[in-house]
Amino acid sequence: MGSLGQDIKKLGFGLMRLPMIGEDVDIEQTKKMVDLFLSKGFTYFDTAYGYLGGKSEMAIKTALVDRYPRESYQLATKLPAWAGAKTAEEAQGMLATSLARTGAGYFDFYLLHNLGDNRTEAFDRFGIWDFLRRKRDEGVIKHLGFSFHDKADVLDDLLTRNPDMEFVQLQINYADWESASIQSRACYEVARKHGKPVIIMEPVKGGSLAALPADIAKIFTDADPKASLSSWAIRFAASLDGLVTVLSGMSTLAQMEDNLSFMENFQPLTGAERAVVDKVRAALDKVPQIPCTACSYCTKGCPQSINIPGIFKAMNNQLIYGNRAGAVGNYSFATRTGGKASDCIACGQCEAACPQHIEIIEELKKAVEMFEG
């Protein structure tokens, strides 16, 4: 028996950013994208309980589950126990809701969604780990794992305590590969140490790496005028060992066609191409940004419970990539439970705790202008 995912092609269809018409999913375009994807031999589809307020799971029922034999594709979804559940019954009930929305009967890959930071506690409190193990035993889940956004040492602890998790889903892209806050490389190496196959999310960093500053994009276009910026990012991720697949959140048929053009007969990056990527990463690192490593020392004594690292992540997305939509989304997520930048009372405890000596109070004032103005 081979390793998990070895027979799955290395491009997965991420269903978080489906084409929309107003508030509704563009089902006809989604069907065309599903048809093209499957026609090229790709089979992995990734959604989640919370994507598009549940519309993503319902859309994939219409575009995929109702139209193709169940054994002809892999469907993954995720349970976010931290997102609004008040009781164990509510949290565990998310699985039944996902099954009803998708009509899938079972999930090939099922994930505890977005472990890390203070979110992991909800999965422990609501008994989700053991609940999902039982569902795996019942056959409702074929393969059980989790997605993760935190530091490598936290991942190491989670995998040490839960050795039966079969895979992990990690944010990996060339921009975050050596990042002190995201720790893409370090997290990947922890997963490899534990022998866990990896599903890669955010290979294009929420679209930021498809729209680089012009002078940095020129490094790629000079190296290969025909290759899209996305192709460099996705191929970087797909060139790693031990993968189940690389998820790309495609929003249009044109994006699907571009991704398939270089992934249908995927070729790993050459040494010369890796050098080009390294040059781009170095150029991005020189763009002025807030030097936050997300150590979270600043937040421990904050009387206003402000998620300072999350706000700085949003600001850097704007400062480095000019990705306004992504930055606004980052800010909304960082402040979803309160603690906006405008709540700062300038007490200064954060600045006293910051090992990077960031002028946090001034940066939070800029965040108010950037996101609350």
Side-chain angles (χ1 to χ4, degrees):
M1 183 172 168
S3 61
L4 181 62
Q6 69 172 16
D7 298 325
I8 296 174
K9 295 189 80 168
K10 299 312 168 199
L11 179 68
F13 188 173
L15 305 168
M16 184 169 73
R17 302 180 180 92
L18 290 173
M20 305 293 286
I21 301 176
E23 295 294 310
D24 297 316
V25 175
D26 182 346
I27 287 293
E28 292 311 309
Q29 186 172 183
T30 301
K31 285 180 178 177
K32 290 176 183 174
M33 294 168 75
V34 166
D35 292 346
L36 180 60
F37 189 72
L38 288 167
S39 75
K40 298 294 187 179
F42 295 89
T43 57
Y44 192 102
F45 295 83
D46 171 87
T47 183
Y49 175 89
Y51 286 176
L52 305 176
K55 293 176 183 176
S56 174
E57 288 186 333
M58 291 185 274
I60 208 59
K61 179 182 192 297
T62 305
L64 174 69
V65 178
D66 290 348
R67 298 171 63 237
Y68 286 92
R70 183 63 186 86
E71 67 278 4
S72 65
Y73 57 85
Q74 297 87 33
L75 182 59
T77 195
K78 314 178 191 75
L79 188 158
W82 43 267
K86 301 288 192 295
T87 66
E89 289 72 26
E90 285 181 12
Q92 295 176 12
M94 292 175 178
L95 170 58
T97 299
S98 292
L99 286 166
R101 286 175 182 165
T102 61
Y106 64 90
F107 292 111
D108 301 273
F109 291 78
Y110 197 76
L111 297 86
L112 293 79
H113 193 181
N114 197 0
L115 269 64
D117 197 29
N118 58 2
R119 298 177 300 276
T120 304
E121 183 272 335
F123 296 93
D124 300 335
R125 176 161 38 97
F126 294 140
I128 300 301
W129 299 92
D130 288 337
F131 167 71
L132 294 181
R133 288 179 175 113
R134 292 196 298 273
K135 292 299 176 181
R136 177 172 58 183
D137 292 343
E138 293 170 15
V140 175
I141 296 165
K142 301 298 182 187
H143 301 291
L144 180 60
F146 59 85
S147 62
F148 178 84
H149 288 278
D150 206 333
K151 301 294 181 66
D153 61 334
V154 179
L155 178 62
D156 194 23
D157 178 63
L158 275 172
L159 289 174
T160 299
R161 290 190 288 116
N162 299 280
D164 64 324
M165 292 296 107
E166 298 171 71
F167 63 93
V168 291
Q169 186 161 307
L170 300 173
Q171 176 173 326
I172 293 177
N173 57 68
Y174 66 76
D176 294 327
W177 188 241
E178 301 292 355
S179 162
S181 54
I182 307 297
Q183 297 191 349
S184 282
R185 178 179 59 79
C187 286
Y188 169 74
E189 289 173 354
V190 166
R192 295 292 286 161
K193 181 184 81 170
H194 285 269
K196 305 301 180 187
V198 173
I199 297 167
I200 291 180
M201 58 182 159
E202 303 290 357
V204 194
K205 201 172 169 66
S208 294
L209 303 184
L212 295 168
D215 57 330
I216 297 177
K218 187 174 184 295
I219 300 170
F220 279 140
T221 52
D222 285 351
D224 186 346
K226 295 179 181 176
S228 67
L229 297 181
S230 295
S231 73
W232 286 94
I234 292 172
R235 287 180 61 223
F236 170 85
S239 296
L240 295 169
D241 293 328
L243 304 185
V244 175
T245 196
V246 176
L247 302 175
S248 179
M250 295 169 273
S251 305
T252 65
L253 190 59
Q255 289 176 0
M256 173 72 76
E257 289 168 343
D258 175 57
N259 285 353
L260 294 175
S261 71
F262 56 83
M263 288 304 290
E264 185 178 3
N265 297 299
F266 167 66
Q267 297 295 321
L269 292 179
T270 65
E273 288 173 326
R274 287 181 184 279
V276 174
V277 171
D278 288 342
K279 189 175 179 182
V280 167
R281 184 190 301 121
L284 286 171
D285 287 343
K286 290 176 182 172
V287 176
Q289 58 193 278
I290 303 167
C292 175
T293 64
C295 69
S296 296
Y297 294 159
C298 59
T299 63
K300 290 185 172 69
C302 177
Q304 302 297 88
S305 300
I306 298 171
N307 181 359
I308 296 164
I311 291 171
F312 287 173
K313 175 184 176 183
M315 294 176 72
N316 279 336
N317 205 358
Q318 176 84 35
L319 292 168
I320 301 167
Y321 305 101
N323 183 356
R324 181 63 184 168
V328 169
N330 293 154
Y331 187 79
S332 296
F333 186 79
T335 58
R336 68 192 182 284
T337 57
K340 293 187 173 176
S342 55
D343 293 334
C344 175
I345 58 173
C347 68
Q349 82 79 31
C350 55
E351 294 188 358
C354 178
Q356 306 302 319
H357 308 294
I358 298 167
E359 294 184 353
I360 295 173
I361 296 168
E362 286 304 310
E363 294 297 347
L364 288 177
K365 289 177 183 175
K366 294 176 188 175
V368 174
E369 294 176 13
M370 196 178 284
F371 299 114
E372 300 180 43

